[in-house]
Amino acid sequence: MRVRNRRAVPSGTDLSSSLALFLHLGLLIAVWLSVCGCPIAANAQDKPVRQGNLTAEDLFRTGQYAECIEVTTKSLAKNEFDESQRVLKLRAEMELGLYAEALATLDAGLKKVSYSIDLRWFGRDACRVNQQAERVEKFDQEILELIKQAPWRYSDTAHQVTVGRWMLSQHADPKRVLTGIYNEAKKRAPESVAVQLAIGDLALEKFDYLLAGQAFQLAVKLSPEHPDAWFGVAQAFAPSDSKKAEEALKNALKFNEDHLPSLLMLVDDQVDSERYEDAAEVLTHIITINPQHPLALSYRAVLAHLQNQPDLEKAHRAAALKPWPGNAAVDHLIGKKLSQKYRFAEGAQYQRDALRLDPKFAAARTQLAQDLLRLGNEDEGLKLAEEVYAADAYNIFAHNLVTLQENLAKFRTLEADGFLLRMEAREAEIYGNRVLDLLKRAKRTLCEKYDIRLEQPIVVELFPRQEDFAIRTFGLPGGAGFLGVCFGTVITANSPASQGNSPSNWEATLWHEFCHVVTLNKTHNRMPRWLSEGISVYEERQANPTWGQQIVPRYREMILGDDLTPVSQLSGAFLSPKSALHLQFAYLESSLVVEYFIEKHGLETLKKVLVDLGEGMPINQALARTTGGSIEAIDTEFAEFARTRAQAMAPMADWSKPELPKRATPELVAAWLKDHPTNYAALRQLAELQISAKLWKEATATLEAMRQLYPNDGAADSAYAMLAKIYRAQDDKAHEREMLEKQAALNSGDLELLDRLGTLCAEASDWEAVRKAALHSLAINPLLPEIHRRSATAAVQLQDHNLAIENYTALLLMQPFDPADVHFQLASTLRQKGDLAAARRHVLLALEETPRFRAAQKLLLEIVEELPKDSKASGSDKPAEDAKPPEDKKASPSKSGF
């Protein structure tokens, strides 16, 4: 387990002052180790009562709770001092919602086995749901005293697990519990499933999914039919391997179809993927097992909220709280699920309600901190995160948020037109204004288009470190596939600095995310993910044809195959995609749904759907109301629309897979193509073989055939790209440039292509084309000096003073190898623009770098002559005396330095 800050006992505890003895927990663990190191005789037990071949433990594990109660009752009639049977009976009664019976079992048991810590541990919940919460603290005190008085009595493996879990509930140091109790128990009883389950649960609580996965998988190995073990595997792998998690959950329910934690996890997945009818069906099954289950009733409240049934929502919440009015987990769960649906304001309110019931409920405090930060309420959110971290140094979410704020404090904030843009200071200087210009343009375009006025500032944060972006966005490192995320009024995104050698187009990303701002605010965050993503991708393409997903051959195959998801199930395609490719396909498909809807019903109808969603109407009902049809009809019509679009992509090409060996010769492929002249894959194979053999003429002919079949191929290995390489090898710059320009018009993010295109245009003194290529490059990575240098050169030639000044200013922040020349060029441009004071300042800085810079000396004299007399007398623009270079400083080797 990764530990951020080790300390034995955090400052906050749940016990009264009489538990100052709590400080002895560390000593208690040490005593525990000394006792547990001694050999222990096996517990003396009577032969267990069975039902058929199943013991009470077997019955409980397989979900036969009523039968378990029957068997344990018979067993206790024979031996009323059997602690384990009393505990099993209590637990089975709790599973079935027989809360009064469970309390009776607890009280009867304590009269017979007064030394039982297991009864007290499991009985705590029985007290709570019978509105005897005051007994919980009493039990905690008694458990502590019992352990102190006779630690040897509880030194067997089963009791060690109970003691470890109890210590964690009292905020003992998790690391010490793991190493001092659980690991020692594992050494003594390596076959114990209970120990592995306890280790896994602790790891999950601290978000150590690696350790959790190891522990639960070992538990499965030890007991292949144990539903708790399989459920643990599902939890451990849910964040990283959805297929493995799904299979593990199926196994848990295979061995216990009434395993309540697994059924609730299934409901959670169904709610996330908007399969609300399926979730309701599973909840009905849970309620038949336990009619009073608080979490099942909480999920029913969530469904009611999402279906705009406020009265039913209140009723389900009240039912969930009825057995235990102080159960903060109810409001926490409802709020958490609403926040996962981007309803952060409602979610935050539920967390506040949870904290009114239990001010120390850590999960609610952590979730509220995240909700507040996503709502832009940073002061309160950060303060709460700091409080959570102070109370639990192992809370990874709180630790990450507190640490992140230290980094954010170094950011620079730029404000304009209702935006608060936060960037790393150097990046803000280099391209912050360019970001603001893009955001302002997006706001003008999209707010007008969707008839919305944003009432509060929009916070946009660009992170130069992907880890910081992930922590700000998700609370934990990860999320490597995400470029940006919008929470409604807060946008977080990776800056080009975080994306290595292959940055994406940041302009497209921010346009996409700001469109989310528009649609989420239009609907008050009440819209399915597929529609929000679909509109954003669609609007990317409307803003720039090279942005957003397009139908490409692989997507064409998926649309015409079996991968098209019905509109009614599209949100699930984002939650549980089969692969990274399928996730990207979900974005494309969602945008095609929007395109279909606008073409068939019009933009005004789409806006009516958004209004209905904002009023709380479910998406299927909103679609049916505005179109006059059913969601089933929309599913059918869209499928036909998508297939028509897919077939329209390069319709003359044969997209079947050729029956050719991988190592075929050019002659063999050419012969096969005589009978299949439009087979695109075979043409590509032939072109690659011809290029390898440097058969330029033949390869050019093949690639031209490909280009005619598929003229909109903008991929990095398209016919245009390969033709450009051939022409470059032949030093045919005119044709190379032509191919590169066609490729650039279809591709939004190929820096290498744009660099070569810019070079060719500069050689041809086509400065407008150089500027165009440079601006395209700046939309991908504005942190590369060469792009700014080339852009500045073109801007000077085109008398675009503003762009030249922007580029030269950015270059000075990138530690150029020739700062004197950059200052000189900037001074020249400023002079031409008429800003003589700034021009004088920069020419002086050039001379500070290189005192014998003749051209700079001449420029300074010319500027001084042009300055008004009062400015000549002022020395305000001169560098400070102590900033002057030493007398023997060498001249810059810059080509313009002499």
Side-chain angles (χ1 to χ4, degrees), residues 613-640:
L613 291 172
E615 293 175 353
M617 189 178 294
I619 178 61
N620 290 353
Q621 184 180 341
L623 290 172
R625 193 188 79 82
T626 54
T627 63
S630 65
I631 187 64
E632 292 77 15
I634 291 174
D635 283 343
T636 302
E637 291 176 6
F638 167 69
E640 182 61 31

PDB file of all heavy atoms in Angstrom, residues 613-640:
ATOM      1  N   LEU A 613     -35.109  18.527 -21.277  1.00  0.00           N
ATOM      2  CA  LEU A 613     -34.178  17.874 -20.365  1.00  0.00           C
ATOM      3  C   LEU A 613     -33.902  18.765 -19.161  1.00  0.00           C
ATOM      4  O   LEU A 613     -33.812  18.283 -18.016  1.00  0.00           O
ATOM      5  CB  LEU A 613     -32.867  17.548 -21.087  1.00  0.00           C
ATOM      6  CG  LEU A 613     -32.935  16.456 -22.164  1.00  0.00           C
ATOM      7  CD1 LEU A 613     -31.613  16.377 -22.915  1.00  0.00           C
ATOM      8  CD2 LEU A 613     -33.267  15.108 -21.549  1.00  0.00           C
ATOM      9  N   GLY A 614     -33.763  20.064 -19.409  1.00  0.00           N
ATOM     10  CA  GLY A 614     -33.510  21.000 -18.321  1.00  0.00           C
ATOM     11  C   GLY A 614     -34.638  21.056 -17.316  1.00  0.00           C
ATOM     12  O   GLY A 614     -34.432  21.383 -16.142  1.00  0.00           O
ATOM     13  N   GLU A 615     -35.836  20.720 -17.759  1.00  0.00           N
ATOM     14  CA  GLU A 615     -36.995  20.702 -16.863  1.00  0.00           C
ATOM     15  C   GLU A 615     -37.157  19.356 -16.166  1.00  0.00           C
ATOM     16  O   GLU A 615     -38.107  19.160 -15.413  1.00  0.00           O
ATOM     17  CB  GLU A 615     -38.250  21.049 -17.654  1.00  0.00           C
ATOM     18  CG  GLU A 615     -38.241  22.505 -18.159  1.00  0.00           C
ATOM     19  CD  GLU A 615     -39.431  22.821 -19.042  1.00  0.00           C
ATOM     20  OE1 GLU A 615     -40.195  21.873 -19.367  1.00  0.00           O
ATOM     21  OE2 GLU A 615     -39.593  23.996 -19.415  1.00  0.00           O
ATOM     22  N   GLY A 616     -36.226  18.437 -16.440  1.00  0.00           N
ATOM     23  CA  GLY A 616     -36.240  17.158 -15.752  1.00  0.00           C
ATOM     24  C   GLY A 616     -36.865  16.018 -16.519  1.00  0.00           C
ATOM     25  O   GLY A 616     -36.973  14.907 -16.004  1.00  0.00           O
ATOM     26  N   MET A 617     -37.251  16.231 -17.761  1.00  0.00           N
ATOM     27  CA  MET A 617     -37.890  15.171 -18.543  1.00  0.00           C
ATOM     28  C   MET A 617     -36.842  14.146 -18.966  1.00  0.00           C
ATOM     29  O   MET A 617     -35.753  14.509 -19.433  1.00  0.00           O
ATOM     30  CB  MET A 617     -38.562  15.772 -19.783  1.00  0.00           C
ATOM     31  CG  MET A 617     -39.433  14.785 -20.548  1.00  0.00           C
ATOM     32  SD  MET A 617     -40.250  15.587 -21.972  1.00  0.00           S
ATOM     33  CE  MET A 617     -41.345  16.730 -21.115  1.00  0.00           C
ATOM     34  N   PRO A 618     -37.095  12.854 -18.826  1.00  0.00           N
ATOM     35  CA  PRO A 618     -36.155  11.828 -19.285  1.00  0.00           C
ATOM     36  C   PRO A 618     -35.917  11.940 -20.796  1.00  0.00           C
ATOM     37  O   PRO A 618     -36.805  12.362 -21.546  1.00  0.00           O
ATOM     38  CB  PRO A 618     -36.849  10.512 -18.921  1.00  0.00           C
ATOM     39  CG  PRO A 618     -37.785  10.878 -17.807  1.00  0.00           C
ATOM     40  CD  PRO A 618     -38.249  12.269 -18.122  1.00  0.00           C
ATOM     41  N   ILE A 619     -34.739  11.536 -21.229  1.00  0.00           N
ATOM     42  CA  ILE A 619     -34.336  11.747 -22.619  1.00  0.00           C
ATOM     43  C   ILE A 619     -35.271  11.051 -23.594  1.00  0.00           C
ATOM     44  O   ILE A 619     -35.674  11.640 -24.607  1.00  0.00           O
ATOM     45  CB  ILE A 619     -32.872  11.283 -22.846  1.00  0.00           C
ATOM     46  CG1 ILE A 619     -32.463  11.462 -24.309  1.00  0.00           C
ATOM     47  CG2 ILE A 619     -32.666   9.856 -22.397  1.00  0.00           C
ATOM     48  CD1 ILE A 619     -32.498  12.880 -24.809  1.00  0.00           C
ATOM     49  N   ASN A 620     -35.656   9.802 -23.337  1.00  0.00           N
ATOM     50  CA  ASN A 620     -36.515   9.095 -24.287  1.00  0.00           C
ATOM     51  C   ASN A 620     -37.871   9.776 -24.426  1.00  0.00           C
ATOM     52  O   ASN A 620     -38.439   9.870 -25.520  1.00  0.00           O
ATOM     53  CB  ASN A 620     -36.700   7.646 -23.856  1.00  0.00           C
ATOM     54  CG  ASN A 620     -35.420   6.836 -24.008  1.00  0.00           C
ATOM     55  OD1 ASN A 620     -34.438   7.329 -24.551  1.00  0.00           O
ATOM     56  ND2 ASN A 620     -35.429   5.617 -23.518  1.00  0.00           N
ATOM     57  N   GLN A 621     -38.383  10.270 -23.305  1.00  0.00           N
ATOM     58  CA  GLN A 621     -39.664  10.979 -23.336  1.00  0.00           C
ATOM     59  C   GLN A 621     -39.528  12.299 -24.085  1.00  0.00           C
ATOM     60  O   GLN A 621     -40.412  12.684 -24.860  1.00  0.00           O
ATOM     61  CB  GLN A 621     -40.145  11.218 -21.905  1.00  0.00           C
ATOM     62  CG  GLN A 621     -41.515  11.872 -21.810  1.00  0.00           C
ATOM     63  CD  GLN A 621     -41.947  12.083 -20.366  1.00  0.00           C
ATOM     64  OE1 GLN A 621     -41.425  11.453 -19.450  1.00  0.00           O
ATOM     65  NE2 GLN A 621     -42.896  12.985 -20.158  1.00  0.00           N
ATOM     66  N   ALA A 622     -38.390  13.009 -23.870  1.00  0.00           N
ATOM     67  CA  ALA A 622     -38.165  14.290 -24.554  1.00  0.00           C
ATOM     68  C   ALA A 622     -38.050  14.080 -26.056  1.00  0.00           C
ATOM     69  O   ALA A 622     -38.594  14.856 -26.852  1.00  0.00           O
ATOM     70  CB  ALA A 622     -36.914  14.961 -24.007  1.00  0.00           C
ATOM     71  N   LEU A 623     -37.331  13.022 -26.468  1.00  0.00           N
ATOM     72  CA  LEU A 623     -37.200  12.745 -27.899  1.00  0.00           C
ATOM     73  C   LEU A 623     -38.542  12.402 -28.513  1.00  0.00           C
ATOM     74  O   LEU A 623     -38.882  12.880 -29.607  1.00  0.00           O
ATOM     75  CB  LEU A 623     -36.203  11.596 -28.109  1.00  0.00           C
ATOM     76  CG  LEU A 623     -34.736  11.899 -27.806  1.00  0.00           C
ATOM     77  CD1 LEU A 623     -33.894  10.636 -27.877  1.00  0.00           C
ATOM     78  CD2 LEU A 623     -34.184  12.948 -28.777  1.00  0.00           C
ATOM     79  N   ALA A 624     -39.313  11.578 -27.817  1.00  0.00           N
ATOM     80  CA  ALA A 624     -40.619  11.192 -28.349  1.00  0.00           C
ATOM     81  C   ALA A 624     -41.559  12.394 -28.430  1.00  0.00           C
ATOM     82  O   ALA A 624     -42.314  12.549 -29.398  1.00  0.00           O
ATOM     83  CB  ALA A 624     -41.222  10.091 -27.469  1.00  0.00           C
ATOM     84  N   ARG A 625     -41.512  13.263 -27.425  1.00  0.00           N
ATOM     85  CA  ARG A 625     -42.419  14.420 -27.404  1.00  0.00           C
ATOM     86  C   ARG A 625     -42.123  15.388 -28.538  1.00  0.00           C
ATOM     87  O   ARG A 625     -43.034  15.926 -29.171  1.00  0.00           O
ATOM     88  CB  ARG A 625     -42.300  15.145 -26.063  1.00  0.00           C
ATOM     89  CG  ARG A 625     -43.418  16.154 -25.817  1.00  0.00           C
ATOM     90  CD  ARG A 625     -43.155  16.975 -24.579  1.00  0.00           C
ATOM     91  NE  ARG A 625     -42.194  18.035 -24.820  1.00  0.00           N
ATOM     92  CZ  ARG A 625     -42.487  19.215 -25.368  1.00  0.00           C
ATOM     93  NH1 ARG A 625     -43.719  19.490 -25.752  1.00  0.00           N
ATOM     94  NH2 ARG A 625     -41.550  20.140 -25.544  1.00  0.00           N
ATOM     95  N   THR A 626     -40.850  15.637 -28.798  1.00  0.00           N
ATOM     96  CA  THR A 626     -40.486  16.639 -29.799  1.00  0.00           C
ATOM     97  C   THR A 626     -40.552  16.108 -31.225  1.00  0.00           C
ATOM     98  O   THR A 626     -40.706  16.887 -32.171  1.00  0.00           O
ATOM     99  CB  THR A 626     -39.068  17.171 -29.526  1.00  0.00           C
ATOM    100  OG1 THR A 626     -38.150  16.074 -29.454  1.00  0.00           O
ATOM    101  CG2 THR A 626     -39.019  17.944 -28.219  1.00  0.00           C
ATOM    102  N   THR A 627     -40.433  14.787 -31.382  1.00  0.00           N
ATOM    103  CA  THR A 627     -40.440  14.236 -32.742  1.00  0.00           C
ATOM    104  C   THR A 627     -41.772  13.589 -33.107  1.00  0.00           C
ATOM    105  O   THR A 627     -42.027  13.326 -34.287  1.00  0.00           O
ATOM    106  CB  THR A 627     -39.337  13.177 -32.896  1.00  0.00           C
ATOM    107  OG1 THR A 627     -39.614  12.072 -32.004  1.00  0.00           O
ATOM    108  CG2 THR A 627     -37.972  13.762 -32.566  1.00  0.00           C
ATOM    109  N   GLY A 628     -42.593  13.324 -32.100  1.00  0.00           N
ATOM    110  CA  GLY A 628     -43.856  12.660 -32.369  1.00  0.00           C
ATOM    111  C   GLY A 628     -43.709  11.176 -32.604  1.00  0.00           C
ATOM    112  O   GLY A 628     -44.663  10.508 -33.025  1.00  0.00           O
ATOM    113  N   GLY A 629     -42.524  10.638 -32.355  1.00  0.00           N
ATOM    114  CA  GLY A 629     -42.294   9.209 -32.533  1.00  0.00           C
ATOM    115  C   GLY A 629     -41.821   8.567 -31.248  1.00  0.00           C
ATOM    116  O   GLY A 629     -41.762   9.204 -30.199  1.00  0.00           O
ATOM    117  N   SER A 630     -41.422   7.327 -31.326  1.00  0.00           N
ATOM    118  CA  SER A 630     -40.936   6.592 -30.164  1.00  0.00           C
ATOM    119  C   SER A 630     -39.429   6.449 -30.239  1.00  0.00           C
ATOM    120  O   SER A 630     -38.823   6.626 -31.311  1.00  0.00           O
ATOM    121  CB  SER A 630     -41.576   5.210 -30.106  1.00  0.00           C
ATOM    122  OG  SER A 630     -41.150   4.433 -31.218  1.00  0.00           O
ATOM    123  N   ILE A 631     -38.822   6.110 -29.116  1.00  0.00           N
ATOM    124  CA  ILE A 631     -37.374   5.899 -29.106  1.00  0.00           C
ATOM    125  C   ILE A 631     -37.012   4.697 -29.975  1.00  0.00           C
ATOM    126  O   ILE A 631     -35.949   4.670 -30.605  1.00  0.00           O
ATOM    127  CB  ILE A 631     -36.856   5.721 -27.659  1.00  0.00           C
ATOM    128  CG1 ILE A 631     -35.320   5.677 -27.642  1.00  0.00           C
ATOM    129  CG2 ILE A 631     -37.439   4.480 -27.024  1.00  0.00           C
ATOM    130  CD1 ILE A 631     -34.650   6.951 -28.098  1.00  0.00           C
ATOM    131  N   GLU A 632     -37.897   3.719 -30.053  1.00  0.00           N
ATOM    132  CA  GLU A 632     -37.649   2.551 -30.912  1.00  0.00           C
ATOM    133  C   GLU A 632     -37.599   2.966 -32.384  1.00  0.00           C
ATOM    134  O   GLU A 632     -36.747   2.485 -33.146  1.00  0.00           O
ATOM    135  CB  GLU A 632     -38.738   1.490 -30.699  1.00  0.00           C
ATOM    136  CG  GLU A 632     -38.721   0.811 -29.341  1.00  0.00           C
ATOM    137  CD  GLU A 632     -39.298   1.647 -28.235  1.00  0.00           C
ATOM    138  OE1 GLU A 632     -39.993   2.662 -28.548  1.00  0.00           O
ATOM    139  OE2 GLU A 632     -39.063   1.325 -27.054  1.00  0.00           O
ATOM    140  N   ALA A 633     -38.486   3.883 -32.762  1.00  0.00           N
ATOM    141  CA  ALA A 633     -38.476   4.369 -34.147  1.00  0.00           C
ATOM    142  C   ALA A 633     -37.191   5.144 -34.428  1.00  0.00           C
ATOM    143  O   ALA A 633     -36.609   5.031 -35.518  1.00  0.00           O
ATOM    144  CB  ALA A 633     -39.700   5.241 -34.407  1.00  0.00           C
ATOM    145  N   ILE A 634     -36.765   5.939 -33.462  1.00  0.00           N
ATOM    146  CA  ILE A 634     -35.517   6.688 -33.630  1.00  0.00           C
ATOM    147  C   ILE A 634     -34.344   5.730 -33.771  1.00  0.00           C
ATOM    148  O   ILE A 634     -33.446   5.953 -34.601  1.00  0.00           O
ATOM    149  CB  ILE A 634     -35.316   7.650 -32.449  1.00  0.00           C
ATOM    150  CG1 ILE A 634     -36.363   8.763 -32.503  1.00  0.00           C
ATOM    151  CG2 ILE A 634     -33.913   8.242 -32.451  1.00  0.00           C
ATOM    152  CD1 ILE A 634     -36.338   9.690 -31.308  1.00  0.00           C
ATOM    153  N   ASP A 635     -34.326   4.662 -32.977  1.00  0.00           N
ATOM    154  CA  ASP A 635     -33.258   3.656 -33.093  1.00  0.00           C
ATOM    155  C   ASP A 635     -33.186   3.122 -34.523  1.00  0.00           C
ATOM    156  O   ASP A 635     -32.109   3.033 -35.127  1.00  0.00           O
ATOM    157  CB  ASP A 635     -33.511   2.496 -32.127  1.00  0.00           C
ATOM    158  CG  ASP A 635     -33.151   2.833 -30.685  1.00  0.00           C
ATOM    159  OD1 ASP A 635     -32.418   3.826 -30.472  1.00  0.00           O
ATOM    160  OD2 ASP A 635     -33.591   2.105 -29.775  1.00  0.00           O
ATOM    161  N   THR A 636     -34.341   2.776 -35.065  1.00  0.00           N
ATOM    162  CA  THR A 636     -34.387   2.197 -36.413  1.00  0.00           C
ATOM    163  C   THR A 636     -33.980   3.208 -37.475  1.00  0.00           C
ATOM    164  O   THR A 636     -33.167   2.905 -38.371  1.00  0.00           O
ATOM    165  CB  THR A 636     -35.807   1.683 -36.710  1.00  0.00           C
ATOM    166  OG1 THR A 636     -36.172   0.714 -35.727  1.00  0.00           O
ATOM    167  CG2 THR A 636     -35.877   1.050 -38.090  1.00  0.00           C
ATOM    168  N   GLU A 637     -34.519   4.419 -37.392  1.00  0.00           N
ATOM    169  CA  GLU A 637     -34.216   5.447 -38.394  1.00  0.00           C
ATOM    170  C   GLU A 637     -32.749   5.844 -38.346  1.00  0.00           C
ATOM    171  O   GLU A 637     -32.118   6.035 -39.396  1.00  0.00           O
ATOM    172  CB  GLU A 637     -35.102   6.674 -38.160  1.00  0.00           C
ATOM    173  CG  GLU A 637     -36.569   6.444 -38.471  1.00  0.00           C
ATOM    174  CD  GLU A 637     -37.417   7.664 -38.136  1.00  0.00           C
ATOM    175  OE1 GLU A 637     -36.834   8.710 -37.778  1.00  0.00           O
ATOM    176  OE2 GLU A 637     -38.661   7.570 -38.215  1.00  0.00           O
ATOM    177  N   PHE A 638     -32.204   5.973 -37.144  1.00  0.00           N
ATOM    178  CA  PHE A 638     -30.802   6.366 -37.063  1.00  0.00           C
ATOM    179  C   PHE A 638     -29.888   5.288 -37.633  1.00  0.00           C
ATOM    180  O   PHE A 638     -28.907   5.591 -38.311  1.00  0.00           O
ATOM    181  CB  PHE A 638     -30.390   6.664 -35.629  1.00  0.00           C
ATOM    182  CG  PHE A 638     -28.891   6.769 -35.484  1.00  0.00           C
ATOM    183  CD1 PHE A 638     -28.204   7.841 -36.039  1.00  0.00           C
ATOM    184  CD2 PHE A 638     -28.165   5.770 -34.860  1.00  0.00           C
ATOM    185  CE1 PHE A 638     -26.821   7.932 -35.963  1.00  0.00           C
ATOM    186  CE2 PHE A 638     -26.778   5.847 -34.772  1.00  0.00           C
ATOM    187  CZ  PHE A 638     -26.107   6.925 -35.324  1.00  0.00           C
ATOM    188  N   ALA A 639     -30.190   4.021 -37.353  1.00  0.00           N
ATOM    189  CA  ALA A 639     -29.352   2.938 -37.871  1.00  0.00           C
ATOM    190  C   ALA A 639     -29.277   3.013 -39.390  1.00  0.00           C
ATOM    191  O   ALA A 639     -28.197   2.850 -39.989  1.00  0.00           O
ATOM    192  CB  ALA A 639     -29.890   1.589 -37.405  1.00  0.00           C
ATOM    193  N   GLU A 640     -30.411   3.300 -40.023  1.00  0.00           N
ATOM    194  CA  GLU A 640     -30.423   3.421 -41.484  1.00  0.00           C
ATOM    195  C   GLU A 640     -29.628   4.642 -41.933  1.00  0.00           C
ATOM    196  O   GLU A 640     -28.874   4.594 -42.915  1.00  0.00           O
ATOM    197  CB  GLU A 640     -31.871   3.522 -41.972  1.00  0.00           C
ATOM    198  CG  GLU A 640     -32.009   3.600 -43.478  1.00  0.00           C
ATOM    199  CD  GLU A 640     -31.450   2.380 -44.178  1.00  0.00           C
ATOM    200  OE1 GLU A 640     -31.491   1.272 -43.589  1.00  0.00           O
ATOM    201  OE2 GLU A 640     -30.960   2.532 -45.319  1.00  0.00           O
TER     202      GLU A 640
END
